[in-house]
Amino acid sequence: MKLTIVGCSGSVPGPEAGCSCYLVEHDGFRLLLDLGSGSCGPLMRYAAPESLDQVLISHAHGDHYADLVSLAYHRGRAQAPPVRLIGPSDLPSAITWLTSEPDLYSFEPAVVGTTGAGAMTLRLARVEHGDMEAWAARVDDWLCYTGDTGPCEAIDELAAGCRVLLAAASGLDGDYPRGGHLTARSAGELATRCGARLLVITHLRSWMDADAILAEAVRYADCPVVRALPGLTIA
Ligand SMILES: [Zn+2]
């Protein structure tokens, strides 16, 4: 199984990276986790848009789904078959043509539990991100992607025992006193609780000090920690 970081900026694209987008490949199957603003162009460095087999959108914030529009254009142009798209139930209202264009996307509302992704098993959990319907994803026993969530029981249960924890670290400790996002500290603590062998911190805002965020995560994680960068692969 291979994970490629396509985009890792939080909120808006930065000068070096588009927003959240992660390509998971296994046995010839291509699963995309999120497709945030500014990430469809860079995606073409790693996979042809028409070659994707499945897309999971964690929640209907633009930095996680907005480039579905660009992906639809590419796939329509290539006359690719509808791609299976799993996402929050409010995604079709965020992109109104989503369900009226069945030739492009075959949409399924996310539900708690497991589903297939080629030879992989995808497990979804509903997590806490303010008022949003937000989902985190586990791929086999290998990868857990937090999406946007505050610390919560559901993410602890989903992440338990994963090898690679791909976690949003949306700021420093104290930046989110009301929850809604993991910080570098809470991402590090989650990695420790779940027994991850590697923590990859992502959702990094371009105006924040990424070195300080990395240093804080390192302080609280008992496994190696790396910062997501476009093109980083983990296998
Ligand atoms: Zn969000």
Side-chain angles (χ1 to χ4, degrees):
M1 202 177 296
K2 183 168 95 168
L3 166 68
T4 301
I5 307 295
V6 178
C8 51
S9 281
S11 303
V12 292
E16 311 292 341
C19 289
S20 289
C21 183
Y22 313 97
L23 178 64
V24 180
E25 295 170 280
H26 178 59
D27 206 16
F29 191 92
R30 288 179 160 152
L31 166 68
L32 203 63
L33 303 176
D34 279 341
L35 185 56
S37 43
S39 58
C40 192
L43 171 66
M44 296 167 73
R45 293 182 190 148
Y46 315 108
E50 62 272 23
S51 73
L52 298 178
D53 296 296
Q54 195 165 317
V55 180
L56 172 79
I57 297 297
S58 64
H59 64 293
H61 277 154
D63 56 334
H64 293 260
Y65 80 87
D67 272 19
L68 284 176
V69 178
S70 304
L71 183 67
Y73 189 94
H74 282 295
R75 292 186 68 94
R77 189 175 165 275
Q79 297 186 311
V83 66
R84 186 181 182 201
L85 171 65
I86 301 172
S89 60
D90 56 354
L91 193 60
S93 61
I95 305 183
T96 50
W97 48 261
L98 195 69
T99 47
S100 63
E101 296 280 3
D103 292 347
L104 299 172
Y105 290 117
S106 174
F107 177 70
E108 296 172 31
V111 291
V112 171
T114 60
T115 186
M120 301 177 279
T121 299
L122 187 62
R123 186 148 64 97
L124 302 179
R126 178 83 186 260
V127 290
E128 294 180 11
H129 184 41
D131 295 334
M132 297 301 291
E133 179 189 326
W135 297 86
R138 170 91 175 239
V139 183
D140 290 348
D141 64 354
W142 190 66
L143 174 70
C144 183
Y145 170 50
T146 65
D148 283 3
T149 181
C152 62
E153 218 170 276
I155 193 61
D156 273 49
E157 283 175 12
L158 189 73
C162 73
R163 291 189 208 168
V164 178
L165 177 64
L166 175 61
S170 298
L172 294 170
D173 185 36
D175 284 346
Y176 291 96
R178 292 186 302 277
H181 281 281
L182 294 175
T183 62
R185 174 177 176 165
S186 52
E189 290 173 337
L190 175 61
T192 296
R193 284 196 304 277
C194 76
R197 297 181 197 172
L198 178 68
L199 169 62
V200 183
I201 54 166
T202 188
H203 203 271
L204 303 163
R205 277 84 177 249
S206 59
W207 56 91
M208 288 183 167
D209 183 344
D211 291 336
I213 288 173
L214 179 64
E216 185 176 276
V218 166
R219 218 172 303 140
Y220 291 94
D222 68 357
C223 62
V225 185
V226 296
R227 176 186 158 195
L229 290 169
L232 174 69
T233 61
I234 295 163

